[in-house]
Amino acid sequence: MPIQIHNLESFQQAASDFVSGLKPSSSQATVVGLYGDLGAGKTTFVQAAARALGISERISSPTFWIVKSYKLKVKSFQKLIHVDAYRLKNADDLRKLGFSELLTDPKNLIFIEWAERVADLLPPDHIKLQFEFVDDHTRSIEFHRSGRMLE
C-alpha cells in the first residue's frame, strides 16, 4: 500500500522507518532499487535514509560519479552505497564499474536510483521502492519488501 509524503519531515520519517527495518543478508549486499520518474523523490529519500543512518555529510545524487560510498557507524551495515543509474545505458555499464564486487559484501547497503536501467544486474530479491510525483507538494511511495531482508 503506497504512503503519501507531503513534506521533508514525512520523507525523513518514512526513510527512518524503512531503514530501521532493514537487516543484512548473510550472503550478499542489501539492495534497494528506487523506481520512478524525475522529481518523484528518489534522491530526497536516499538523503533522508542517510541521515537516519547517521551520515551527517551532504548527500547528493552521484549523477556524474555514478557510484558514491559512505562509511556507516551502525551495527548492521558498514557502507551505504548510492548509485545513480540515470546516465547508464544498461546493466553492463554498471558491471564495468565493479558493481558485482559491491554485491558480494553483506555489510553493504546499496540504494540504486533509476534501478530499471540496470535491472538485469540486480538480485531478484532486491527491495523495490516505487516513487510517484502526485503534485507539487505530494509524493507517493510504494514499498515492495523482501522478507529475507526485513524484519
Side-chain angles (χ1 to χ4, degrees):
M1 175 186 249
I3 62 167
Q4 300 294 308
I5 303 293
H6 301 285
N7 54 43
L8 288 176
E9 291 79 22
S10 55
F11 254 113
Q12 188 62 56
Q13 186 62 54
S16 293
D17 292 347
F18 175 75
V19 297
S20 71
L22 291 175
K23 290 207 175 255
S25 162
S26 60
S27 60
Q28 67 180 12
T30 298
V31 178
V32 180
L34 293 90
Y35 298 81
D37 293 330
L38 191 65
K42 298 179 297 294
T43 300
T44 302
F45 188 86
V46 175
Q47 292 168 334
R51 278 191 298 279
L53 291 165
I55 296 173
S56 57
E57 65 185 281
R58 186 183 183 313
I59 305 292
S60 59
S61 187
T63 304
F64 296 103
W65 296 105
I66 310 298
V67 178
K68 181 103 183 200
S69 179
Y70 303 90
K71 289 185 180 182
L72 296 173
K73 296 177 182 166
V74 295
K75 295 177 192 171
S76 51
F77 297 101
Q78 291 177 346
K79 286 185 187 173
L80 170 89
I81 298 167
H82 185 190
V83 177
D84 185 338
Y86 183 75
R87 292 185 29 220
L88 301 180
K89 292 179 183 142
N90 54 44
D92 285 336
D93 288 348
L94 188 56
R95 187 177 287 113
K96 291 173 188 173
L97 295 172
F99 185 72
S100 297
E101 290 78 32
L102 296 175
L103 285 176
T104 64
D105 188 344
K107 291 293 187 174
N108 287 342
L109 173 57
I110 304 173
F111 282 88
I112 303 176
E113 294 187 49
W114 302 99
E116 61 275 10
R117 294 180 185 236
V118 294
D120 295 349
L121 190 57
L122 302 182
D125 61 350
H126 75 279
I127 301 165
K128 298 176 184 179
L129 305 183
Q130 181 67 46
F131 291 78
E132 183 181 343
F133 178 93
V134 177
D135 61 39
D136 286 342
H137 304 288
T138 309
R139 304 297 185 270
S140 173
I141 306 172
E142 188 167 358
F143 299 85
H144 302 272
R145 299 179 178 203
S146 165
R148 181 186 64 75
M149 293 188 195
L150 298 174
E151 288 184 324

